[in-house]
Amino acid sequence: MKKFTLLTVMLMAVITASAQQEVGTLTLTPRVGVASSNVSQQQYLIPQGSQNSKRVANFVAGADVAYQLHRVISLSGGVFYSGEGYKFPETDGLKLRHNLYFVNVPLLANFYVAPGLAVKTGVQPAWLIAARETIHVNHRTNRQDLNAYKTFNLSIPVGISYELGHVSLDLRYNIGLLNINDIRAISDSYRTSSLWLTLGYGIQLF
């Protein structure tokens, strides 16, 4: 029993030491994962009334660079490509989906509340690089580019991450602040919301 307890304590000490970056270090962390997103105020009129838009899953990838400012605080900046958008459920043989592709620049403050465990928030400007509509009607598919959305967006990311050695798991919810609707005939305000789940591998630069 004593040997088991000693082994457990040693293992936890190793994990704790490896899960926390030293003050003054700079770490590059490539990340890849999935994004679940939607856009507010999107409705599709049907004979029975209207349908609200649903979340879509897509791909997110990029990298963060973090500077360990203090034992419990780090500052990070990154560049990420994300596929976002929304869809409507199939109605009378018709399915509609809008895909929005962004380049995001998250600027975050990370606060370590336990060894390896951090909560984070900041600002995230983003630039729309492509928007596409996909319509499925009676087993036929039509795709076209869209000019219905503004090219600049701004979000507040709120997240949590856990680091174990070089590996980190990161969950972020990005709250859109700006109206990205670029159709003057429509007065509705469209705001994005996206949830990112990514896996990263940290590489200490110095």
Side-chain angles (χ1 to χ4, degrees), residues 38-66:
N38 202 349
V39 175
S40 65
Q41 300 295 326
Q42 293 291 343
Q43 290 189 330
Y44 179 62
L45 298 178
I46 58 175
Q48 296 82 7
S50 63
Q51 286 185 336
N52 292 324
S53 60
K54 304 297 181 182
R55 303 186 74 85
V56 298
N58 216 314
F59 176 77
V60 57
D64 286 314
V65 175

Side-chain angles (χ1 to χ4, degrees), residues 3-20 114-117 162-165:
K3 290 183 179 180
F4 177 77
T5 303
L6 181 60
L7 181 61
T8 302
V9 171
M10 291 175 63
L11 180 61
M12 291 302 296
V14 170
I15 290 175
T16 300
S18 63
Q20 197 79 29
L117 182 65
Y162 183 71
E163 303 168 10
L164 182 59

Side-chain angles (χ1 to χ4, degrees), residues 96-174:
L96 175 66
R97 174 170 175 153
H98 281 195
N99 288 317
L100 310 177
Y101 301 99
F102 289 96
V103 171
N104 308 271
V105 182
L107 305 171
L108 305 175
N110 308 279
F111 303 93
Y112 287 87
V113 295
L117 182 65
V119 294
K120 56 191 65 187
T121 189
V123 295
Q124 180 171 288
W127 289 265
L128 182 69
I129 57 174
R132 296 189 179 94
E133 179 182 71
T134 301
I135 302 176
H136 299 277
V137 182
N138 298 325
H139 307 292
R140 294 184 179 181
T141 300
N142 178 56
R143 294 183 176 87
Q144 62 180 357
D145 292 336
L146 294 173
N147 295 311
Y149 301 98
K150 295 177 181 177
T151 56
F152 181 75
N153 194 20
L154 185 68
S155 300
I156 296 293
V158 179
I160 187 170
S161 65
Y162 183 71
E163 303 168 10
L164 182 59
H166 292 281
V167 179
S168 66
L169 186 66
D170 188 288
L171 181 66
R172 302 180 193 178
Y173 184 64
N174 303 305

Side-chain angles (χ1 to χ4, degrees), residues 187-201:
S187 60
D188 291 341
S189 180
Y190 300 164
R191 287 179 169 81
T192 60
S193 65
S194 62
L195 185 68
W196 293 1
L197 178 63
T198 61
L199 188 65
Y201 187 86

